[in-house]
């Protein structure tokens, strides 16, 4: 039996209009051609987004690095894996992940492997998130020129047992989607049926 997989498909867009553009995201209204002969044109509003990266950083004791950071839209200080936007033009996802791990986690990794790629809200957003597994960790200092600001100023870090984190996720106590996806993917890897993709070049 063939494994389930997404397939590329593109429905014709009659017109596209920018509705809003903010600092990080925008909204575009696409008018799509009828899906069937004789059907009506219809609109879909799409959130434009640069994409993001997340890092599942696991130390030699099998603990995962998490941060706690205030999220205004959620009105919560959330448990998260190190993550950030792909907001540097031309920067590959793996380099953004290395940068975010150092900036938010104060660690560097000797081994990097793609863990998963997913779209958190494909019905309304273009955002694509790339999650990497980082191993062989060593302490690092903040990059030269980096200054924490806004929510990052009160960011805290901790190392957690993976099973305890999964238990908290399943109990609804950890609700950040990227953290949930990355943690569950890593947990699944510990079974014999799943395999990582090829490691990233060092």
């Amino acid at each position: 039996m063939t494994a389930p997989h997404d397939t590329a498909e593109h429905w014709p867009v009659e017109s596209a209009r920018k509705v809003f553009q903010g600092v990080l995201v925008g909204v575009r209204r696409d008018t799509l051609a009828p899906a069937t002969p004789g059907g009506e044109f219809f609109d879909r509003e799409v959130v434009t987004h640069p994409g993001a990266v997340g890092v599942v950083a696991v130390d030699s004791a099998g603990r995962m690095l998490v941060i706690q950071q205030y999220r205004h839209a959620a009105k919560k200080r959330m448990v998260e894996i190190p993550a950030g936007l792909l907001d540097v033009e031309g920067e590959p996802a793996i380099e953004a992940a290395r940068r975010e791990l150092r900036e938010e986690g104060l660690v560097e990794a000797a081994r990097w492997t793609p863990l998963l790629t997913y779209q958190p809200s494909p019905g309304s957003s273009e955002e694509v998130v790339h999650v990497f597994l980082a191993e062989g960790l060593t302490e690092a200092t903040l990059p030269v020129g980096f200054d924490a600001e806004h929510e990052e100023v009160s960011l805290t870090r901790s190392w957690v047992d993976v099973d305890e984190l999964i238990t908290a996720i399943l109990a609804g106590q950890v609700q950040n989607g990227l953290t949930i996806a990355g943690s569950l993917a890593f947990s699944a890897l510990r079974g014999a049926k799943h395999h990582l993709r090829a490691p990233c070049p060092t």
Side-chain angles (χ1 to χ4, degrees):
M1 180 178 177
T2 303
H5 62 280
D6 299 337
T7 56
E9 188 170 337
H10 180 74
W11 290 16
V13 177
E14 181 71 13
S15 64
R17 181 169 67 89
K18 182 183 292 185
V19 177
F20 166 79
Q21 183 59 55
V23 176
L24 298 176
V25 300
V27 177
R28 185 185 71 242
R29 180 174 292 123
D30 291 347
T31 299
L32 278 67
T36 57
E40 297 182 349
F41 288 87
F42 59 99
D43 291 342
R44 288 291 180 267
E45 291 177 348
V46 179
V47 176
T48 59
H49 192 287
V53 295
V55 182
V56 173
V58 180
D59 70 6
S60 58
R63 301 175 303 170
M64 187 182 299
L65 173 65
V66 296
I67 64 173
Q68 293 81 40
Q69 185 171 203
Y70 175 69
R71 292 301 186 184
H72 177 67
K75 301 295 190 293
K76 294 177 181 177
R77 177 172 291 275
M78 306 194 82
V79 175
E80 306 178 354
I81 60 175
L85 295 172
L86 286 168
D87 54 358
V88 177
E89 186 174 356
E91 183 179 42
I94 180 59
E95 295 306 322
R98 295 182 200 272
R99 174 173 53 81
E100 291 294 344
L101 181 60
R102 187 172 178 183
E103 290 175 355
E104 294 191 347
L106 296 181
V107 293
E108 295 177 325
R111 298 187 303 279
W112 289 85
T113 313
L115 185 56
L116 76 155
T117 300
Y118 75 102
Q119 294 184 250
S121 188
S124 59
S125 174
E126 294 179 335
E127 181 182 10
V128 177
V129 182
H130 306 275
V131 186
F132 296 88
L133 174 62
E135 300 171 291
L137 306 180
T138 54
E139 292 185 3
T141 57
L142 285 173
V144 175
F146 174 78
D147 292 312
E149 59 182 4
H150 309 310
E151 293 91 344
E152 295 171 336
V153 174
S154 62
L155 178 152
T156 59
R157 306 166 184 86
S158 58
W159 294 91
V160 298
D161 177 83
V162 176
D163 290 329
E164 290 180 359
L165 179 57
I166 298 299
T167 297
I169 287 171
L170 296 178
Q173 297 169 341
V174 173
Q175 298 184 352
N176 177 276
L178 175 52
T179 302
I180 292 171
S183 301
L184 291 177
F186 176 72
S187 180
L189 277 177
R190 295 187 296 178
K193 295 182 179 180
H194 305 283
H195 303 280
L196 281 168
R197 287 177 272 177
C200 300
T202 56

